Amino acid sequence: MTAERGGTAAGAPGGLREAGPGVPFLDLRAPYAELRDDVDRAVSRVLSSGRYLLGPEIEAFESEFAEYCGTAHCVAVNSGCDALELALRALGVGPGDDVLVPSHTFIATWIAVSAAGARPVPVEPADGGTLIDAAGVEAAVTPRAKAVVPVHLYGHPVDLDPLREAARRHGLHVLEDAAQAHGARYRGRRVGAAPSLAAFSFYPGKNLGAMGDGGAVVTGDAGLADRLRMLRNYGSRVKYRHELRSGNSRLDEVQAAVLRVKLARLDEWNGRRARAAERYRDGLGGLDWLRLPEAAPWAEHVWHVYPVRTRYRDALAEHLAAAGVQTLSHYPVPVHLSPAYASAGLPEGSLPRAERLAAELLSLPIGPHLADGEADAVVAAVRSFRPPG
């Protein structure tokens, strides 16, 4: 559970470190407080319209988000996990296929592959980093590999050009998992820009978050977009005429209306996140026991979370909780060691980089409504920590 000021939000990944009154990991009431009038008008507009599914708000949001990303099509669905699964199915991925996925990611990346009927094949992150790269993909390719899913983790894009070239050499589709990277840029272009095929989540805690679950796939391919629209709606273009076997994954009109309001503020709020990250960087530099996250010169990081790395992770988390600072571990159990993937035959020690990250990463509070004083309190609490021994 991810706790925030005033309540909890179920479904968030990671291990939450509870704290008393102080600095919450993420305040989900503050965005609504800032946008209350606009959000209330948007919701009222939907409720008064009598159109609650696949109506004008969905159409408008899809158009606006596609334009924001720099691509032609957006297909809104009911979660980020569904966005990944349906995109894989639209690409023709299914039983008998392998899909390369990061060993270090939220389990939804793997679950979507399994839901499509394929087998997730883990790719270790680059040495010393958290993201996969072209060399890792080359090393993990199998004879049955059909696609690769690079994850723009924590708000930082993967280095896509060499990865795409590696995928091209091996005949692999590339589906970007952009659930944590709304608005991020890779070499000057937004994540999701054509020719990308990218899946987004609009979980409430995301940089662009709904007031419930939601997701979308963006693509420059009209044929893929058409297939995705059928897959989200019982395999149908026209009611009662079903061309594909599929279920129901429709984003509702209320969530689309809320997302339209928040999309207009996304760049501003990402800028606030970047300023908070700068405050952490300036305040926490020089600690030899703590590694801070960095942005590559070719990337515009959007700081979905701020994960620091230390071999004293658990002790630091307890110290911060005692100081009133709430933290989260992304992700304390590597996917291959979770009970859900016990049958994958990947025992402890088989993916050492993912396992080390699981033991060493700790995410500090960050968000567009983190006050300067709260960030300074986090810095002071971290700097007051004394590593054991």
Side-chain angles (χ1 to χ4, degrees), residues 125-346:
D127 189 21
T130 59
L131 306 177
I132 66 171
D133 62 6
V137 169
E138 295 271 14
V141 170
T142 69
R144 299 192 310 173
K146 191 165 184 177
V148 56
V149 183
V151 180
H152 304 305
L153 203 58
Y154 307 138
H156 192 293
V158 171
D159 192 357
L160 287 171
D161 286 349
L163 187 147
R164 284 174 175 149
E165 177 57 26
R168 185 195 63 78
R169 286 195 298 271
H170 293 280
L172 305 179
H173 298 294
V174 178
L175 167 61
E176 299 165 41
D177 182 339
Q180 300 184 9
H182 312 72
R185 294 181 186 271
Y186 173 70
R187 301 192 184 279
R189 296 168 61 82
R190 289 198 198 278
V191 166
S196 289
L197 173 67
F200 289 85
S201 166
F202 303 128
Y203 174 81
K206 303 298 187 184
N207 293 45
L208 178 60
M211 303 236 175
D213 269 322
V217 182
V218 297
T219 178
D221 187 316
L224 276 178
D226 180 61
R227 189 169 178 85
L228 283 161
R229 289 192 175 96
M230 286 192 289
L231 288 169
R232 75 174 175 190
N233 190 35
Y234 301 110
S236 175
R237 288 188 182 93
V238 179
K239 194 168 186 176
Y240 301 132
R241 295 182 60 186
H242 306 279
E243 302 175 44
L244 304 170
R245 293 183 183 180
S246 191
N248 170 11
S249 183
R250 300 177 298 221
L251 185 71
D252 67 70
E253 289 281 287
V254 169
Q255 300 301 343
V258 170
L259 287 166
R260 293 182 66 198
V261 173
K262 289 189 171 184
L263 179 58
R265 304 297 287 273
L266 179 56
D267 288 342
E268 178 190 343
W269 285 7
N270 281 345
R272 295 185 200 173
R273 288 175 178 269
R275 288 191 292 275
E278 289 175 7
R279 208 169 188 92
Y280 281 153
R281 182 197 62 199
D282 294 343
L284 296 175
L287 297 173
D288 59 9
W289 52 269
L290 190 72
R291 183 186 300 181
L292 304 181
E294 299 178 352
W298 40 260
E300 183 177 317
H301 201 318
V302 292
W303 303 103
H304 174 60
V305 296
Y306 192 91
V308 298
R309 188 172 178 180
T310 176
R311 61 193 181 100
Y312 308 111
R313 193 269 307 282
D314 290 344
L316 175 60
E318 292 174 5
H319 172 82
L320 293 177
V325 175
Q326 195 178 60
T327 60
L328 200 63
S329 297
H330 291 85
Y331 299 95
V333 179
V335 180
H336 68 286
L337 298 182
S338 66
Y341 282 95
S343 63
L346 296 166

Side-chain angles (χ1 to χ4, degrees), residues 46-131:
V46 174
L47 298 182
S48 299
S49 73
R51 288 291 304 275
Y52 304 136
L53 291 171
L54 299 182
E57 297 293 342
I58 289 290
E59 293 177 5
F61 172 70
E62 289 178 335
S63 175
E64 291 161 7
F65 192 61
E67 182 179 2
Y68 176 85
C69 291
T71 193
H73 306 281
C74 169
V75 180
V77 297
N78 71 6
S79 73
C81 192
D82 272 15
L84 288 167
E85 178 194 344
L86 297 186
L88 289 168
R89 291 179 60 193
L91 290 169
V93 173
D97 295 328
D98 287 346
V99 177
L100 307 186
V101 295
S103 60
H104 177 65
T105 185
F106 182 48
I107 195 171
T109 312
W110 290 44
I111 289 288
V113 173
S114 299
R119 181 178 73 125
V121 174
V123 179
E124 285 274 71
D127 189 21
T130 59
L131 306 177

